Amino acid sequence: MCHKSNTFIGMDEKDCIIYVGEKFSIEWYYDKNGKSVAYEYFLKTDEELQDKFLILVKKMAESGKIFDITKFRNEGDGIYAFKPQPDRYLSFFTIGKKIIVTNGFKKKTNKLPQNEKDFAQKCKKDYLERKSGGK
């Protein structure tokens, strides 16, 4: 299982669903070896920070939008950020009404670190290539 809460459905080599809502299904990205950097980061945070993230995930999955840019923001180039203070979780939208969460990190500067955005873009490219290839 991804998490002890019933908010999570489970994780296997095919997918890791964080939450399924009326508008979106939100999942952890995992690489071809089954590793999820975002999920590993999430597990290292305390329960209060996990809850802040899960509240945003549920809101997005159920309503399809978060208008407050201090909580969710378009970072450009098809990358979006869930922003549960002080953490950031980068993600992207894909077909099938899915949002894939690629990486998480603690915010240390006002600007999004380019290496974090680059990693999210690399994950997006890998995900789309693997999904189009049926893997």
Side-chain angles (χ1 to χ4, degrees):
M1 293 295 283
C2 282
H3 188 263
K4 63 186 178 217
S5 158
N6 3 350
T7 304
F8 289 86
I9 295 170
M11 182 173 182
D12 60 29
E13 67 280 351
K14 297 206 187 250
D15 61 19
C16 185
I17 299 169
I18 301 171
Y19 190 89
V20 177
E22 188 176 317
K23 302 289 185 182
F24 290 104
S25 172
I26 302 178
E27 303 177 8
W28 300 113
Y29 165 82
Y30 60 91
D31 66 19
K32 64 183 177 187
N33 299 315
K35 181 177 178 175
S36 174
V37 171
Y39 179 58
E40 289 174 8
Y41 177 80
F42 174 83
L43 290 177
K44 291 178 186 173
T45 63
D46 65 40
E47 195 171 320
E48 180 182 345
L49 293 175
Q50 290 178 2
D51 288 346
K52 284 181 176 184
F53 173 65
L54 295 175
I55 288 167
L56 293 177
V57 163
K58 183 177 180 182
K59 182 174 180 127
M60 178 59 86
E62 293 295 346
S63 71
K65 52 191 142 209
I66 298 175
F67 289 112
D68 184 348
I69 64 168
T70 68
K71 302 295 180 196
F72 187 81
R73 178 181 155 140
N74 181 344
E75 298 292 348
D77 302 314
I79 302 299
Y80 295 80
F82 286 96
K83 299 167 67 176
Q85 298 294 338
D87 296 327
R88 296 289 181 271
Y89 289 87
L90 300 185
S91 61
F92 62 90
F93 291 78
T94 188
I95 57 172
K97 296 186 176 183
K98 289 183 181 182
I99 299 172
I100 309 300
V101 180
T102 58
N103 50 322
F105 59 95
K106 188 167 298 301
K107 178 187 173 195
K108 295 180 182 171
T109 65
N110 285 336
K111 190 170 176 161
L112 174 65
Q114 189 62 46
N115 66 317
E116 297 290 353
K117 187 174 179 182
D118 290 346
F119 182 79
Q121 289 173 309
K122 178 181 158 199
C123 294
K124 179 179 179 181
K125 182 177 186 277
D126 173 67
Y127 177 90
L128 295 174
E129 286 173 356
R130 285 191 291 136
K131 290 302 175 183
S132 69
K135 297 178 185 174

